[in-house]
Amino acid sequence: MQTSSRLTYIFLALVIVCEASLLLIDIGLFYAHRARVLSGGLYVLKDLIAIVMYAVLYYLIRMQLKRYASPDSPLWLEPAESFWKGFASFGLLLSATVVLGWLLPRSGYDTQSPDGFWRAMSLQTVFKTHLITLGFGSLLLASLVVLERLIFFRRAKNTQSNFLAMVVLMLVASLSEIGSLPQEIGNPVSIAFAALAIVMMLVNAFRLSWVLPLSRSDKIRTLFLVIGILAELVPFYAMDCPNYFLAYSGTVGFFLSSITTFVAIYLATTLFSLLSYLPTSEALERKNSEVRNLYAMSRFASEVFDEEKIYSSLVSYACSAAGASSCGWLDLYQPFDEKSLNAEQAPHLPNLQWKTSKGYFKTVVRQNVSTEHLHEFAAKAHFLWEEMCHNPRQIRVDDIETDSRIVKDATPLTNFLRRLGRKRRKEPAKIVSTLSVPLISRANLIGVLTVAKDVEYGFVKDDVELISTFADQAAIAIQNSRLVREVIDKERMQQELAVAQKIQLRLLPHTPLAVPNYEMDSLSYPAFEVGGDFYDYLALSSSNGSICKFGVMIADVSGKGASAAFYTAELKGIFQSLCTLYPDTPSDLLIRANETLSRSLDRKSFVSALYAIFDVHSHTVRFSNAGHCPMVLLTAEGAQLVKVPGLALGLNAGDLFQRAIRTETLFLKPGDAVVFYTDGLIDAVNSAGEPFGFERLLTLLSAHKHRSASEIKQALFEAVNTFAGAGGSVKDDLTILVIKRCDTPASH
């Protein structure tokens, strides 16, 4: 930065030195003319100094304009702003020239002298020449830089080469005038190159790509500025300003005159271009606005997952596309067989609902329209929502007062009178023509976007296509938002179920009872994270520190999942509280448990249970079955089902359950075992859909009758999994509990 500033100061000093030298030379030439002593060498020196000076001046102006350019703009200077500065600067210089002419009345050139020489009327002419050339010359050099930026906007392949060719031809034509006297300007070489330069000026003058993107207001402003600058060129030529350029220096003056010609040509083509583009500016701006809105809506649809923001943005973009005087609203659709709107959103939404034969529409967002206008419109055009339910499609109403779907048996006369009556109202109609577009995702209707205008026939094909595109984007965004919410809800539910699973596992016994001469083992796998299977064992009495009687219960709550798991927790509490109250008769415990559960179970739920009391001294098992799977008795002869009638808990709270429940007794010999299980075991199916069944259960247990309780449990579990395989499934919760009397004293 310091190097650049130092170089700028050096160049400024060089310009001052050159200008002072040129002024001294011109003063000397003035007196030489009066003495009729002329030297051609001074004119050559004068042109060389002027060339150096204006080359440096061009560099300084270019750097200064670049320094103040907008860094994010493809142009260094905005067109309208540049023309305004050019117009103002040109006007100030013209005003200064007029003032100089008034203050210095004898400051012109006699170009019609008998000897053909341009003679300065006074010494004041020299000073005026330098002031005019320095002022207008700097402005013309700045104009060349500005026009270069405009020409290079959205440049084509040959844009830069064409511009450079024009500048080179102008320079060659100017350099051919080195050493020429003012009256000698225009030799054949310079005229030839100047003619070629004019051809290239015409080529570059049609580089007007910057005109089209201008807004309508900028086009109008630029148009008047261009006309103003062209008007300023008239007094510029009328005051013979180009003659002062040539008197200053033939080479520099010719170049500045060439720039003036190019500026005039470019401004003329700009004027015609602005006049041709101006009638279509409004349509172009609308198209640009539509593209920006569509792009913004596309980004919004891919980044935003808040449904309320999507609703409001959709209506806002649609109204913006339709025009400043439009209004709009969005109705969400809910069929009668689906849940209502989100309970958290409903309190924040306006209470506008339109009922149809298949569901209802709820207005969730509205813009520039009151509830009174909506109710008035709904009373007339209720067919709109009804048709959307049965056949979702674009529905356009060109005039709500004369539409045949709203007004029956209408005639041209009645339609005219209705329109006339609407215009005579004190309050202008807000909704005259409407466009309704359905929001559809996966062939399902989400809602309806309606945009309205206060004029008849307010919507054309372009409006329909654009608003339909907005609706399609919003439908995708809404669907994505709902999917994201479902994923979040699912993850939260999985976390809650994981916690519930840990809690349920704590309800089941972690280790079996240590009972002399008995061993026991168990497992339980829910179909989902939590299940409805339950088992437990509890010591009922003991002697000398050893358990002599214990109770075992296995139960299965109807259904699966969280509701079933809740009832298993309740069942555990009931079992632990009642087993000590009824230590001898299982049926009494089940009857009392049925009375308690009947008050809490819903009508669709019930519990199957099997409760057994083991006496270690007598080796007997007293048990009752409340609608549960029959237990299996495993003896030396094999396995057999022990079926006992009974009714599931919760189905009947009266005498029917008490009459159905019974208590049976079995004697266990050494090596005998009892197997409890839930229906998830026998209902497991293979890939062919064949259930595991009782027959396979008995066959498998018979083959493992001599094994320990843990080995019997593990063999049964592995057999079920092998049977189900990859193509089958265990459809329900699975629980296995094995209790075996040992041949020798043992405990686990």
Side-chain angles (χ1 to χ4, degrees):
M1 182 64 69
Q2 293 179 353
T3 303
S4 177
S5 300
R6 189 180 299 112
L7 185 62
T8 300
Y9 292 136
I10 293 173
F11 282 165
L12 282 174
L14 181 59
V15 169
I16 294 172
V17 171
C18 290
E19 173 59 24
S21 301
L22 289 172
L23 183 60
L24 292 175
I25 292 174
D26 279 342
I27 292 173
L29 287 173
F30 171 75
Y31 287 107
H33 275 278
R34 293 175 68 91
R36 299 183 182 275
V37 179
L38 297 176
S39 174
L42 286 177
Y43 281 96
V44 174
L45 177 62
K46 178 182 175 181
D47 287 340
L48 292 176
I49 295 174
I51 291 171
V52 173
M53 172 185 167
Y54 274 84
V56 173
L57 189 61
Y58 173 76
Y59 172 81
L60 291 175
I61 292 172
R62 189 182 184 90
M63 292 300 102
Q64 190 70 11
L65 292 177
K66 185 177 180 180
R67 183 179 302 173
Y68 291 101
S70 175
D72 58 345
S73 174
L75 301 177
W76 285 359
L77 295 171
E78 292 295 331
E81 181 183 357
S82 301
F83 282 116
W84 163 248
K85 290 181 178 179
F87 172 76
S89 301
F90 211 151
L92 289 174
L93 288 174
L94 286 175
S95 301
T97 303
V98 172
V99 172
L100 280 176
W102 178 70
L103 294 175
L104 307 173
R106 290 181 51 81
S107 57
Y109 286 92
D110 181 10
T111 59
Q112 305 296 329
S113 61
D115 55 5
F117 289 97
W118 286 18
R119 298 189 180 277
M121 295 181 179
S122 65
L123 188 60
Q124 298 169 351
T125 305
V126 175
F127 291 98
K128 183 178 179 180
T129 300
H130 280 255
L131 291 174
I132 289 177
T133 306
L134 191 61
F136 281 106
S138 301
L139 180 60
L140 289 171
L141 291 177
S143 300
L144 183 63
V145 176
V146 171
L147 294 185
E148 176 190 358
R149 298 302 130 203
L150 296 179
I151 291 171
F152 284 2
F153 180 75
R154 292 181 180 173
R155 66 181 69 182
K157 183 177 181 181
N158 298 323
T159 301
Q160 187 173 13
S161 59
N162 291 337
F163 184 81
L164 291 177
M166 179 193 72
V167 174
V168 169
L169 289 171
M170 292 166 57
L171 287 173
V172 172
S174 302
L175 292 174
S176 65
E177 300 289 350
I178 291 181
S180 299
L181 298 177
Q183 61 273 12
E184 297 174 348
I185 298 299
N187 62 70
V189 175
S190 64
I191 292 175
F193 280 101
L196 294 176
I198 290 175
V199 173
M200 296 308 299
M201 288 178 189
L202 293 173
V203 173
N204 286 281
F206 287 94
R207 287 293 307 164
L208 299 166
S209 303
W210 56 271
V211 175
L212 186 61
L214 291 179
S215 63
R216 179 179 175 82
S217 60
D218 282 343
K219 282 189 178 75
I220 295 174
R221 181 186 176 196
T222 304
L223 177 65
F224 283 106
L225 290 173
V226 169
I227 294 174
I229 296 174
L230 287 173
E232 288 175 335
L233 289 175
V234 176
F236 174 79
Y237 283 103
M239 290 186 292
D240 294 329
C241 290
N243 289 340
Y244 288 94
F245 295 165
L246 297 176
Y248 181 85
S249 168
T251 302
V252 171
F254 196 90
F255 185 73
L256 294 178
S257 298
S258 300
I259 295 177
T260 306
T261 303
F262 176 58
V263 169
I265 294 173
Y266 195 86
L267 290 176
T269 56
T270 300
L271 176 63
F272 288 110
S273 178
L274 289 169
L275 289 174
S276 62
Y277 280 128
L278 195 58
T280 60
S281 295
E282 187 174 355
L284 180 62
E285 288 182 9
R286 182 176 179 183
K287 286 294 182 184
N288 292 336
S289 177
E290 291 174 357
V291 171
R292 288 193 298 269
N293 286 338
L294 186 59
Y295 174 72
M297 187 65 194
S298 300
R299 287 194 59 186
F300 191 85
S302 61
E303 297 176 357
V304 178
F305 299 102
D306 187 341
E307 276 196 48
E308 290 190 21
K309 290 184 179 179
I310 297 173
Y311 300 154
S312 58
S313 297
L314 171 61
V315 176
S316 176
Y317 286 133
C319 291
S320 175
S325 63
S326 62
C327 61
W329 62 92
L330 176 65
D331 302 317
L332 288 188
Y333 175 63
Q334 290 294 340
F336 288 134
D337 57 347
E338 292 187 7
K339 65 181 181 179
S340 60
L341 288 170
N342 190 314
E344 296 180 358
Q345 296 180 357
H348 305 289
L349 304 179
N351 188 22
L352 294 176
Q353 296 186 15
W354 323 112
K355 188 175 181 181
T356 63
S357 59
K358 297 182 66 176
Y360 67 89
F361 290 85
K362 187 178 183 73
T363 303
V364 294
V365 174
R366 54 189 171 88
Q367 181 172 316
N368 300 332
V369 62
S370 63
T371 57
E372 292 77 10
H373 285 123
L374 280 180
H375 281 293
E376 182 181 351
F377 173 76
K380 297 178 180 179
H382 190 268
F383 78 93
L384 188 150
W385 290 284
E386 192 68 38
E387 289 191 16
M388 283 292 183
C389 291
H390 295 86
N391 183 22
R393 57 187 174 84
Q394 300 166 358
I395 299 178
R396 187 173 64 188
V397 178
D398 292 326
D399 188 355
I400 194 172
E401 296 289 349
T402 61
D403 192 280
S404 59
R405 293 165 295 185
I406 299 174
V407 181
K408 305 299 182 182
D409 302 327
T411 63
L413 179 59
T414 57
N415 291 343
F416 173 76
L417 293 176
R418 288 191 182 95
R419 290 195 183 103
L420 186 61
R422 179 173 60 205
K423 292 180 180 179
R424 288 183 175 180
R425 294 175 187 172
K426 294 182 179 180
E427 182 181 355
K430 188 70 175 178
I431 302 175
V432 177
S433 58
T434 64
L435 173 65
S436 298
V437 180
L439 278 68
I440 299 175
S441 178
R442 298 182 180 180
N444 295 321
L445 179 64
I446 298 177
V448 177
L449 169 66
T450 303
V451 184
K453 289 187 177 182
D454 55 359
V455 295
E456 303 94 338
Y457 300 92
F459 297 94
V460 296
K461 182 180 178 181
D462 291 344
D463 297 326
V464 176
E465 292 177 352
L466 182 63
I467 295 174
S468 298
T469 303
F470 285 155
D472 293 340
Q473 293 284 347
I476 296 173
I478 293 171
Q479 185 64 33
N480 291 340
S481 174
R482 293 180 178 179
L483 290 175
V484 169
R485 190 170 64 240
E486 289 178 3
V487 170
I488 294 174
D489 292 342
K490 185 177 180 181
E491 291 180 354
R492 183 173 63 249
M493 184 175 293
Q494 287 178 344
Q495 293 176 356
E496 293 174 354
L497 288 176
V499 175
Q501 185 182 43
K502 294 179 180 179
I503 295 174
Q504 187 179 30
L505 290 175
R506 294 175 183 174
L507 298 177
L508 301 178
H510 293 274
T511 57
L513 293 175
V515 182
N517 301 321
Y518 283 83
E519 61 180 16
M520 57 190 75
D521 202 356
S522 59
L523 62 82
S524 181
Y525 281 92
F528 301 114
E529 285 80 358
V530 291
D533 282 4
F534 168 75
Y535 72 92
D536 200 0
Y537 24 69
L538 191 67
L540 300 179
S541 63
S542 60
S543 177
N544 297 326
S546 298
I547 298 175
C548 56
K549 183 183 291 186
F550 63 93
V552 176
M553 172 175 279
I554 186 169
D556 184 4
V557 181
S558 61
K560 295 176 284 294
S563 60
F566 172 78
Y567 290 128
T568 60
E570 185 177 6
L571 188 62
K572 179 180 179 68
I574 293 173
F575 170 66
Q576 291 187 345
S577 61
L578 295 179
C579 64
T580 54
L581 299 177
Y582 304 98
D584 300 316
T585 309
S587 59
D588 292 343
L589 183 143
L590 292 178
I591 291 172
R592 186 60 184 274
N594 179 65
E595 294 175 355
T596 305
L597 284 173
S598 296
R599 293 192 294 267
S600 59
L601 290 174
D602 57 57
R603 295 181 179 180
K604 297 181 180 180
S605 300
F606 60 89
V607 179
S608 66
L610 193 155
Y611 179 51
I613 299 175
F614 289 79
D615 192 322
V616 177
H617 295 309
S618 62
H619 301 296
T620 58
V621 182
R622 291 173 58 82
F623 62 94
S624 296
N625 193 334
H628 196 73
C629 301
M631 70 178 184
V632 178
L633 177 62
L634 196 58
T635 64
E637 289 75 18
Q640 61 179 346
L641 295 174
V642 182
K643 298 181 179 180
V644 177
L647 189 65
L649 304 174
L651 293 179
N652 180 265
D655 297 336
L656 180 60
F657 182 85
Q658 296 183 17
R659 291 196 302 269
I661 201 75
R662 286 169 46 185
T663 299
E664 299 289 341
T665 303
L666 290 176
F667 178 75
L668 296 180
K669 299 178 182 178
D672 290 351
V674 177
V675 180
F676 303 92
Y677 56 91
T678 56
D679 55 3
L681 175 67
I682 57 177
D683 290 341
V685 296
N686 58 15
S687 57
E690 183 181 3
F692 188 78
F694 290 106
E695 185 176 350
R696 286 186 177 83
L697 173 63
L698 296 177
T699 301
L700 178 70
L701 291 176
S702 296
H704 295 81
K705 59 186 178 182
H706 298 299
R707 296 192 175 186
S708 65
S710 297
E711 291 173 340
I712 294 172
K713 175 214 68 176
Q714 190 63 29
L716 187 55
F717 179 69
E718 292 176 355
V720 172
N721 286 331
T722 303
F723 174 78
S729 64
V730 179
K731 297 182 178 181
D732 203 351
D733 304 327
L734 173 62
T735 300
I736 301 172
L737 175 60
V738 181
I739 299 176
K740 184 173 184 178
R741 180 184 175 188
C742 302
D743 295 327
T744 58
S747 63
H748 288 262

